[in-house]
Amino acid sequence: MNLRTNLHSDTIKHVDLSFFIEVAKGLKVRHAIEKMQASQRKCALVMDNGSLLGIFTNHDIARKVLDREGVNDQTVESVMTADPLTLKADMKIIDAIKVMGEKPYRYMPVINEEGLVLGTLTHYAVIKYISDHFPEEIYNLPPTPDHFAQARDGA
Amino acid sequence: MADAVETPKLDRKDFVSDQEVRWCPGCGDYAILAQMQRVLPELGIPREKLVFVSGIGCSSRFPYYMNTYGLHTIHGRAATVATGLKVANPDLHVWIVTGDGDALSIGGNHLLHVLRRNVNVNILLFNNRIYGLTKGQYSPTSPTGKVTKSSPMGSVEQDLNAISVALASEATFVARTVDRQTKHLAEILKRASEHQGTSFVEIYQNCNIFNDGTWSFATEADVKDDNTLLLEHGQPMIFGKEKDKGIRLNGLAPEVVTLGDGVSEEDLLKHDETLDNPAHAYLLSRLMYPDFPVPLGVFRNVQRPVYEEQVVAQNEKAVEERGEGNLHALLHAADTWIVPEGPDGETVREVSEEEPSLSDIIPDISQEDQLAPRTSLQHFMYDPISSLDLPTPHSIPAQTSLSEAIKLMRDENAGCLLVVNKKQRLVGIFAQGDLFEKVAGSDIDLQNTTVAEMMTKDPTVLKASDPIGHILHLMSLQGYRHIPIVDPDGRPISLASFKVMLQFTGGLFAEPSVN
Ligand code: SF4
């Protein structure tokens, strides 16, 4: 299991793309936020009959909603990022990581060959994908770094 | 009383004890501990209602590391102690932590009975197919032919399948998961906790010292999807990296088929965990590597009356009908007598001063020996955080108002601000995630609320000398997007984020091969 090889051969389809919800166009900002909070997803794709109009994330909430008057009652289209950058499902993970490092987006919708939304690539999911390659070094660690014993217990 | 006492919301750190963890570095037990500590706060059970009971073995050290009640009992007897505990205090949430030796060999008998009685406890069987604590002898789940210290020419014994044993013992909830599949593990722990009656969970656990890679067919990224079958209630059994294979029944025998070529999803076996007849679950338990993918998930989940509820009900009925009993009267009712104390009192075993100490017998396994990294990348995980080029964080005082903080985040394009006290020590972290969870959609007055009220208090931090692996540990297991790095006095010096770690990994692996 070699991370280098896998990053260059696996496509983003192999990463967990499920960290998002879909909301319909016309929904009020307030209700979009409620839906996101209830499902604990910080990213909502704004859809119009199956096609992607835009993306609305907690980043947008922090920048365009919170300290602005009246935004909560507008439609989600008015604050979403329209026509967001999308990635193709057959993109190699290493290339997606490059895009994530360069662009300011934490969430990028992934589109299949037919142009349909397959999911959303998130920073977290890629971190998880990388960590999956080092279970001993990453998952199998004590709760805090100074919790290691000098000697193992045993007979 | 009019005032309801608010139960404090617990987080992961509330379940971490102050005990030094004495498992070998890299042991799969750590991953299970981490998920338990992550899942428990979500279940909302007060700490004083939780008890971890264990027997003997590496896994049985678990109770020490949980900041809850715990009992490290005797070999194989965790199930008996837990049964007693549950009958005496039915409102406790009892977890049994055991291993393949403790549960299936020494405690085999007790396992059968706790399962058939359906005591409302959760059993976690860490299966590493070896005796780890005693340094590598074959166990009841070691495969036939396995060469170990106690089977130098290969074990001649038929091994036990833990799931089949549980089903044969009439268990009402039976599941299997893997130490490294952290999301699946967390999900199964939650479901086990919710089940009324005994929950039995087999966890494939890697003993990296004495049986490394025993489950690699089910854990290595390139093969695991072809060798495991994720059980989902009501779903056809499809597996494979490309999701193109399935399990079909041919008479009573399961077979692997490829989808397409005249085979459709309708032809496949469908999973139903609620079937009263355990035959379906048993058939699944017999799907074994290499002929079949091994099923992961919930095999069986049915309802049956819970043992302690019935016992308590009988007791109450008896008291109601016949009144409170009198133990003294009972003990003195029939033929009883007193054994006189001997003339010399008790004899005391003499301890010779020559007795060697434990450390003379067991050489210490130093961390270096065990952590010998196999590749330079693994090595990188042990490098200190100070070797990463991390950005300097934005710090703000605790009395900053929310509106100022939001503006600062926008102007500085910062996803997160570190909140410090007068001495510049870190007291909290305030991130877009906090805004999302606590502020968005509420009518909090942004001008008159301080970040101190909305921040995540006392966040998890790391030191510059800690290994890089810990950053990824906290990010991937706890989902923390930002981790402050602090100096020995607790003053923030840098900030690790998802983005920085991705940039870093991207740079490290930019080329398809190293020359
Ligand atoms: S001997 Fe094996 S099971 Fe025991 S702590 Fe070490 S690695 Fe874990």
Side-chain angles (χ1 to χ4, degrees):
Chain A
M1 171 148 89
N2 182 324
L3 179 60
R4 186 182 297 275
T5 323
N6 289 355
L7 284 177
H8 286 269
S9 61
D10 276 357
T11 64
I12 48 182
K13 253 192 297 188
H14 293 110
V15 176
D16 188 347
L17 300 177
S18 66
F19 298 99
F20 74 103
I21 58 165
E22 289 187 3
V23 296
K25 130 182 177 196
L27 195 68
K28 278 193 182 152
V29 169
R30 160 190 325 282
H31 296 136
I33 293 177
E34 275 167 17
K35 267 187 127 176
M36 290 160 80
Q37 285 172 328
S39 55
Q40 298 191 343
R41 293 283 185 262
K42 293 177 185 152
C43 164
L45 300 187
V46 183
M47 307 295 289
D48 179 16
N49 267 326
S51 66
L52 176 69
L53 286 188
I55 185 167
F56 180 59
T57 72
N58 75 324
H59 193 67
D60 300 310
I61 297 177
R63 299 175 70 86
K64 301 187 234 164
V65 179
L66 285 180
D67 53 356
R68 305 279 155 96
E69 284 294 317
V71 179
N72 268 316
D73 291 312
Q74 295 174 8
T75 62
V76 64
E77 297 95 279
S78 64
V79 281
M80 71 181 185
T81 305
D83 297 321
L85 179 71
T86 59
L87 304 177
K88 292 216 182 75
D90 60 0
M91 186 180 214
K92 297 281 186 281
I93 297 175
I94 188 74
D95 297 322
I97 292 181
K98 270 179 222 149
V99 177
M100 293 182 134
E102 287 159 12
K103 304 276 179 192
Y105 315 124
R106 293 173 178 179
Y107 309 89
M108 286 181 273
V110 177
I111 307 290
N112 71 7
E113 286 143 30
E114 287 96 53
L116 297 174
V117 173
L118 202 71
T120 301
L121 189 70
T122 59
H123 283 181
Y124 173 73
V126 181
I127 292 274
K128 187 84 176 80
Y129 173 90
I130 294 168
S131 300
D132 277 344
H133 286 76
F134 301 95
E136 273 179 28
E137 294 77 11
I138 295 178
Y139 295 154
N140 300 352
L141 287 177
T144 60
D146 38 15
H147 263 54
F148 260 135
Q150 287 314 305
R152 103 184 238 284
D153 219 54
Chain B
M1 276 206 324
D3 298 337
V5 182
E6 208 177 299
T7 342
K9 206 171 162 288
L10 300 173
D11 75 10
R12 174 189 84 95
K13 280 187 281 172
D14 295 311
F15 289 97
V16 175
S17 82
D18 60 356
Q19 298 291 301
E20 199 177 61
V21 186
R22 300 192 137 232
W23 287 316
C24 307
C27 175
D29 292 358
Y30 285 105
I32 308 171
L33 179 68
Q35 284 315 308
M36 185 57 90
Q37 288 167 338
R38 195 179 76 78
V39 162
L40 282 182
E42 291 177 23
L43 298 177
I45 304 164
R47 271 190 301 188
E48 63 275 17
K49 291 278 181 240
L50 280 161
V51 192
F52 283 80
V53 185
S54 66
I56 296 293
C58 292
S59 57
S60 291
R61 299 197 56 82
F62 205 89
Y64 295 111
Y65 311 138
M66 294 300 303
N67 198 8
T68 62
Y69 285 113
L71 285 160
H72 187 182
T73 73
I74 46 176
H75 216 342
R77 272 61 180 180
T80 62
V81 173
T83 303
L85 193 62
K86 194 64 186 160
V87 172
N89 292 297
D91 61 334
L92 293 178
H93 290 257
V94 180
W95 293 81
I96 295 175
V97 181
T98 181
D100 39 320
D102 193 57
L104 293 169
S105 178
I106 303 92
N109 175 22
H110 303 300
L111 182 70
L112 306 186
H113 300 295
V114 72
L115 289 170
R116 76 179 171 85
R117 284 175 179 148
N118 204 29
V119 185
N120 190 10
V121 296
N122 311 305
I123 304 175
L124 305 180
L125 190 155
F126 296 13
N127 187 1
N128 55 20
R129 305 209 273 191
I130 199 83
Y131 284 116
L133 190 76
T134 52
K135 301 195 167 182
Q137 298 81 11
Y138 70 100
S139 86
T141 57
S142 301
T144 314
K146 174 84 183 167
V147 174
T148 68
K149 287 185 187 151
S150 55
S151 56
M153 295 169 70
S155 155
V156 293
E157 299 180 12
Q158 167 67 44
D159 51 314
L160 279 179
N161 175 321
I163 300 284
S164 299
V165 170
L167 290 166
S169 310
E170 306 291 348
T172 51
F173 181 97
V174 180
R176 180 192 280 143
T177 183
V178 183
D179 56 3
R180 297 177 179 194
Q181 295 200 21
T182 52
K183 203 173 150 194
H184 190 257
L185 172 60
E187 195 49 44
I188 295 291
L189 291 180
K190 270 191 236 164
R191 292 205 51 197
S193 168
E194 281 156 10
H195 175 72
Q196 296 297 310
T198 314
S199 314
F200 177 86
V201 181
E202 177 190 28
I203 307 176
Y204 283 180
Q205 176 244 325
N206 192 39
C207 166
N208 56 319
I209 301 298
F210 297 111
N211 205 13
D212 196 19
T214 190
W215 304 117
S216 55
F217 66 87
T219 56
E220 298 298 289
D222 24 4
V223 294
K224 70 167 196 254
D225 294 330
D226 287 323
N227 293 335
T228 57
L229 167 70
L230 281 181
L231 297 177
E232 279 174 79
H233 181 63
Q235 297 299 318
M237 296 187 187
I238 299 176
F239 69 102
K241 193 162 185 172
E242 304 306 331
K243 303 213 182 325
D244 58 348
K245 286 183 275 190
I247 302 288
R248 181 170 71 180
L249 268 195
N250 184 356
L252 279 181
E255 61 183 9
V256 173
V257 291
T258 307
L259 286 168
D261 293 344
V263 182
S264 76
E265 281 191 19
E266 274 82 81
D267 302 323
L268 302 180
L269 186 58
K270 238 196 206 157
H271 186 42
D272 187 347
E273 57 188 38
T274 61
L275 292 173
D276 201 41
N277 184 337
H280 168 83
Y282 189 78
L283 179 134
L284 292 177
S285 78
R286 306 311 292 176
L287 299 182
M288 291 190 253
Y289 177 79
D291 297 332
F292 289 98
V294 289
L296 302 177
V298 179
F299 289 72
R300 183 163 207 242
N301 178 19
V302 296
Q303 294 299 322
R304 216 177 51 225
V306 168
Y307 178 76
E308 68 273 17
E309 283 173 9
Q310 299 178 84
V311 171
V312 170
Q314 286 189 344
N315 279 348
E316 280 169 0
K317 185 150 184 276
V319 170
E320 197 180 295
E321 284 170 3
R322 289 183 257 168
E324 287 277 352
N326 182 337
L327 190 62
H328 187 265
L330 178 74
L331 289 177
H332 291 84
D335 267 351
T336 54
W337 62 92
I338 291 168
V339 182
E341 212 178 278
D344 305 327
E346 277 176 64
T347 36
V348 179
R349 185 177 84 99
E350 281 176 28
V351 181
S352 126
E353 288 193 0
E354 312 291 280
E355 224 173 297
S357 80
L358 209 56
S359 58
D360 294 337
I361 311 169
I362 321 165
D364 279 2
I365 300 180
S366 71
Q367 275 190 1
E368 277 90 324
D369 288 348
Q370 294 180 4
L371 290 178
R374 277 156 286 185
T375 68
S376 57
L377 296 176
Q378 284 168 326
H379 197 278
F380 153 74
M381 295 299 166
Y382 302 115
D383 282 350
I385 292 170
S386 54
S387 62
L388 290 173
D389 190 14
L390 296 177
T392 323
H394 297 276
S395 294
I396 52 165
Q399 59 279 12
T400 311
S401 73
L402 286 185
S403 56
E404 283 172 83
I406 292 170
K407 191 169 174 308
L408 188 67
M409 281 173 150
R410 181 159 48 219
D411 296 347
E412 297 291 330
N413 202 9
C416 146
L417 303 169
L418 298 187
V419 185
V420 293
N421 66 12
K422 287 207 189 71
K423 294 192 172 130
Q424 296 300 311
R425 297 207 171 114
L426 184 73
V427 292
I429 183 166
F430 186 66
Q432 281 183 354
D434 294 295
L435 289 173
F436 172 75
E437 276 161 30
K438 305 174 208 166
V439 184
S442 72
D443 29 78
I444 290 171
D445 179 350
L446 301 178
Q447 247 94 52
N448 293 313
T449 310
T450 62
V451 287
E453 296 166 66
M454 291 294 146
M455 67 186 183
T456 303
K457 293 198 181 74
D458 196 15
T460 300
V461 296
L462 290 171
K463 295 193 293 294
S465 55
D466 290 333
I468 291 173
H470 260 283
I471 296 183
L472 290 166
H473 173 82
L474 292 169
M475 287 183 169
S476 52
L477 294 188
Q478 310 302 336
Y480 300 156
R481 179 180 287 273
H482 298 103
I483 298 161
I485 315 300
V486 299
D487 71 9
D489 293 323
R491 298 191 182 94
I493 42 184
S494 59
L495 184 68
S497 66
F498 283 175
K499 182 158 182 172
V500 181
M501 294 312 284
L502 285 176
Q503 283 170 331
F504 189 76
T505 328
L508 211 60
F509 299 106
E511 298 306 320
S513 60
V514 263
N515 303 312

